[in-house]
Amino acid sequence: MDISTLLVVSTNALVGAVGSTAVGAAVFGVVPDVGHTVAAVERAGRVASALALCINDYRVTLNILGKDPGNETLLAKCHKRCAERTYKVLEKNGSIFIKLGQHLAAMGYLLPTEWTDTFIPLQDRCPVSSLESIEKMILDDTGYSVLELFSEFDPVPLGAASLAQVHRAILRETGQEVAVKLQHPALAEWIPLDMSLTKFSFEYIKWFFPEYPMTWLSDEMEASLPQELNFEKEAENIYRVREYFKNVKNTPVIIPDGTTTSSNSPFFKRNAILVMEYLPGKRLDDLQWLDSNGISRDEVSAALARIFNEMVFGKDAPLHCDPHGGNIAIRLADPSKRKRRKGDFEIILYDHGLYRDIPTHLRRSYAKLWLAVIDGNESKMRRYAGEVAGVTDEQFPLFASAITGRDFIALQKGVSVPRGEEERRHITQAMTEGLLAQLIQLLANVPSVILLILKTNDLTRSLDENLQTGRGPERTFLILARYCSRAVYEEAREEIEKYGGIWRAGNLVRWVVAVWEYWRIGAKLKVFEMGIYWREVFRGLGGTGTHLLKN
């Protein structure tokens, strides 16, 4: 049986199996109507047919490349066709398929640009549930109508994501302006089927291309989705991250309060409805708004670096694992808190459903890994890559590229050197020459929390690039190094206290080394930022850099 026939048979088998399952469920009363059954078969059919076409497309393309390896554009065109084909299915099916596409769009360290660029629009093109379905869900879930709960309820959502949408409203009980986050009513109806289809798709790809085992991606989604769909858990995350950043100075981050209702409220501890403080803002990539309000893009870049490095390297810090452009906004600071007439800002973090705690030992080894990367110490880089992710010496160059988003050859020249077009081409070429398969094999075996850290790294790197600051990454890496050195210093202090105090033999030396490294990097960062400040002063922007001197 040739590949095309096998694909057709497999596709028909998948659609038939799903159809039989849906029909059987309908017969036994699990599914409410025949229309649902038909829709289930259509959803499965879209996935199965696109999957079969893409697999066949790649098999044919790779066979041609085997005979004509000099055809450099052939694989790129195949990537683009398959990405566009898949995009249509994700957009049409909606639900968690949008979530999957958003995740894939952020995986620049793994997927070809033809895939990631094609999926970027999924960050903003999410389904919107009808007002009627929202009103019915609120009534079913709380026992009260929208009019009984709110004196105002904007029928047009402020924003829609893959799993939920947010409406501005005013609570009738208190008169407070709030943002009401509501899960899409149809979500629960499709999640079991959609997760099965997602898992099947990656298993299917692995069967045809065993060198590309991406089942870890569906496994991670299966683990993450229950958390993202549990709004009680999100409310706990909101409380925790708000409390954490209360003790972090000079970090302009704002978290909407998720506890705006009393324990007697119909909304208290509702799994599919979350009422939060209403905090509107502008997108980070609204460069015209930033410039017209005197907000330095460099300041915003530095603030992002501080916020997310605090989450990754701060002691007992919670990590926001989904910081894409739709989940972050910026606004002018409260006038009463401003130090200057304009240009002060606050960064608002939304969507706190997906959080992870990084184990202390992993956090510290990861900090040491980054310090080694920044210092260009390859032996330490290899050592800590092994501690963090079980990476072997052979796998190390790939892992180093994955965490930094840089080509390993360029990385050896210094991570703070700006990435040029030649480096981008080299990465793309390397991926077509077999390194992609090795990278996927590597990621299949690293701890799941590392995958989420990589995702967060890539998303924040993308946010930073969208700011188009025009500067190299040196300052960002200095900020990173400051947080890493702090984590190492904290570890040294704990070890010293544990083993006899500072005056015990060897402990004093260890303490001095840790203190010196922490303050050395801090001083280097301060000098660098003072240089930025004085350059701004000489350019006639005096005052816009004064915030730098207080950190």
Side-chain angles (χ1 to χ4, degrees):
M1 182 182 294
D2 64 24
I3 183 64
S4 300
T5 305
L6 180 59
L7 288 167
V8 170
V9 170
S10 301
T11 302
N12 290 338
L14 170 62
V15 177
V18 174
S20 298
T21 301
V23 171
V27 169
F28 288 101
V30 177
V31 178
D33 54 47
V34 175
H36 183 285
T37 304
V38 173
V41 175
E42 288 178 346
R43 292 172 80 82
R46 291 187 201 107
V47 173
S49 60
L51 184 61
L53 288 169
C54 288
I55 289 176
N56 189 51
D57 202 345
Y58 273 111
R59 292 294 288 259
V60 170
T61 299
L62 293 174
N63 284 337
I64 295 173
L65 280 175
K67 300 172 184 176
D68 181 19
N71 195 335
E72 297 179 357
T73 63
L74 191 64
L75 186 57
K77 290 178 180 178
C78 178
H79 287 325
K80 188 63 176 176
R81 286 194 303 272
C82 292
E84 290 176 346
R85 193 180 291 132
T86 304
Y87 176 89
K88 291 176 183 177
V89 175
L90 300 181
E91 187 178 44
K92 185 71 174 178
N93 277 6
S95 181
I96 67 169
F97 289 103
I98 298 288
K99 192 75 179 176
L100 174 62
Q102 291 173 344
H103 196 160
L104 293 173
M107 297 175 74
Y109 58 88
L110 177 61
L111 296 178
T113 55
E114 291 83 4
W115 281 88
T116 55
D117 289 352
T118 299
F119 287 170
I120 285 174
L122 290 173
Q123 302 287 13
D124 299 307
R125 295 182 189 174
C126 293
V128 175
S129 296
S130 68
L131 181 61
E132 292 75 18
S133 65
I134 289 294
E135 289 176 333
K136 183 178 185 303
M137 185 185 75
I138 291 175
L139 180 61
D140 292 343
D141 201 41
T142 68
Y144 294 86
S145 69
V146 168
L147 290 176
E148 289 175 302
L149 294 171
F150 305 104
S151 56
E152 288 184 27
F153 187 88
D154 193 338
V156 179
L158 295 168
S162 54
L163 305 181
Q165 63 190 50
V166 180
H167 291 257
R168 176 196 159 277
I170 295 179
L171 287 173
R172 189 171 292 280
E173 178 186 17
T174 63
Q176 182 181 0
E177 189 175 28
V178 294
V180 185
K181 184 175 180 179
L182 303 137
Q183 285 181 22
H184 293 302
L187 199 61
E189 178 182 5
W190 293 118
I191 276 184
L193 172 62
D194 291 350
M195 273 310 308
S196 296
L197 290 171
T198 302
K199 195 172 185 67
F200 175 87
S201 296
F202 287 115
E203 291 284 357
Y204 207 58
I205 293 169
K206 183 180 177 181
W207 185 50
F208 277 99
F209 300 104
E211 65 273 28
Y212 298 102
M214 290 186 66
T215 49
W216 52 267
L217 185 54
S218 57
D219 291 342
E220 178 53 42
M221 284 191 66
E222 199 168 24
S224 299
L225 267 175
Q227 295 187 45
E228 294 188 76
L229 293 170
N230 186 342
F231 284 3
E232 290 184 39
K233 181 65 176 176
E234 181 168 354
E236 292 173 9
N237 291 339
I238 290 172
Y239 174 78
R240 185 180 168 200
V241 74
R242 280 171 61 88
E243 288 299 304
Y244 183 86
F245 275 102
K246 280 181 182 178
N247 301 314
V248 180
K249 296 180 180 179
N250 300 324
T251 307
V253 61
I254 300 295
I255 314 294
D257 190 354
T259 57
T260 59
T261 59
S262 68
S263 58
N264 296 322
S265 169
F267 294 122
F268 188 69
K269 290 191 175 179
R270 290 290 170 178
N271 198 45
I273 306 173
L274 180 62
V275 179
M276 298 171 290
E277 180 183 10
Y278 177 67
L279 291 179
K282 297 288 185 177
R283 286 182 62 97
L284 280 179
D285 57 6
D286 190 341
L287 302 183
Q288 183 178 357
W289 183 85
L290 294 179
D291 296 342
S292 64
N293 283 279
I295 295 176
S296 166
R297 301 181 194 180
D298 288 312
E299 290 189 35
V300 178
S301 173
L304 284 173
R306 289 190 168 91
I307 291 167
F308 286 99
N309 281 313
E310 182 67 51
M311 287 186 167
V312 172
F313 298 107
K315 186 177 180 180
D316 299 323
L319 175 63
H320 188 306
C321 294
D322 201 17
H324 63 72
N327 286 342
I328 301 181
I330 187 169
R331 70 176 188 180
L332 290 173
D334 186 322
S336 64
K337 299 178 183 177
R338 292 188 200 174
K339 305 297 182 185
R340 292 168 278 121
R341 286 186 300 173
K342 67 175 186 175
D344 281 308
F345 63 88
E346 294 168 329
I347 291 176
I348 309 168
L349 294 189
Y350 304 122
D351 195 350
H352 302 272
L354 184 57
Y355 269 68
R356 283 290 190 277
D357 289 294
I358 306 174
T360 300
H361 72 279
L362 185 61
R363 190 191 302 271
R364 288 170 174 172
S365 292
Y366 189 60
K368 294 170 188 174
L369 171 61
W370 267 111
L371 287 174
V373 169
I374 293 168
D375 288 342
N377 189 324
E378 188 171 330
S379 62
K380 285 188 175 181
M381 288 163 66
R382 291 178 181 275
R383 172 187 169 187
Y384 293 118
E387 288 188 15
V388 166
V391 174
T392 65
D393 278 347
E394 183 181 357
Q395 296 170 324
F396 170 73
L398 277 173
F399 182 73
S401 294
I403 68 169
T404 61
R406 304 295 300 272
D407 174 61
F408 184 65
I409 295 174
L411 191 60
Q412 292 172 310
K413 299 176 183 177
V415 73
S416 62
V417 176
R419 183 171 65 172
E421 191 58 37
E422 182 179 351
E423 182 183 347
R424 294 175 190 271
R425 286 197 300 271
H426 189 271
I427 292 174
T428 301
Q429 182 181 0
M431 286 303 181
T432 64
E433 292 175 351
L435 289 185
L436 179 60
Q438 295 177 40
L439 181 56
I440 292 175
Q441 291 277 359
L442 167 64
L443 295 177
N445 297 310
V446 303
S448 61
V449 68
I450 293 297
L451 296 176
L452 285 171
I453 291 174
L454 288 176
K455 174 188 174 185
T456 303
N457 281 352
D458 221 50
L459 286 170
T460 52
R461 190 181 300 124
S462 176
L463 289 171
D464 194 62
E465 288 176 354
N466 289 342
L467 286 169
Q468 300 176 29
T469 61
R471 299 186 187 274
E474 185 175 356
R475 182 184 178 197
T476 302
F477 281 112
L478 281 172
I479 293 171
L480 167 65
R482 180 74 182 273
Y483 283 87
C484 292
S485 62
R486 187 188 70 182
V488 173
Y489 170 68
E490 289 171 350
E491 180 185 27
R493 283 183 53 188
E494 288 181 13
E495 290 293 311
I496 289 168
E497 291 172 6
K498 183 178 178 180
Y499 294 108
I502 195 171
W503 301 114
R504 185 171 178 177
N507 282 353
L508 179 59
V509 173
R510 183 176 184 180
W511 179 79
V512 170
V513 170
V515 170
W516 165 248
E517 186 67 13
Y518 180 59
W519 287 108
R520 178 183 71 85
I521 293 174
K524 190 174 181 180
L525 175 61
K526 185 71 68 176
V527 169
F528 188 89
E529 292 188 328
M530 286 181 69
I532 293 176
Y533 166 67
W534 287 113
R535 280 197 298 272
E536 289 182 348
V537 170
F538 289 132
R539 287 174 184 169
L541 303 176
T544 59
T546 54
H547 78 291
L548 300 172
L549 304 180
K550 67 186 180 184
N551 290 323

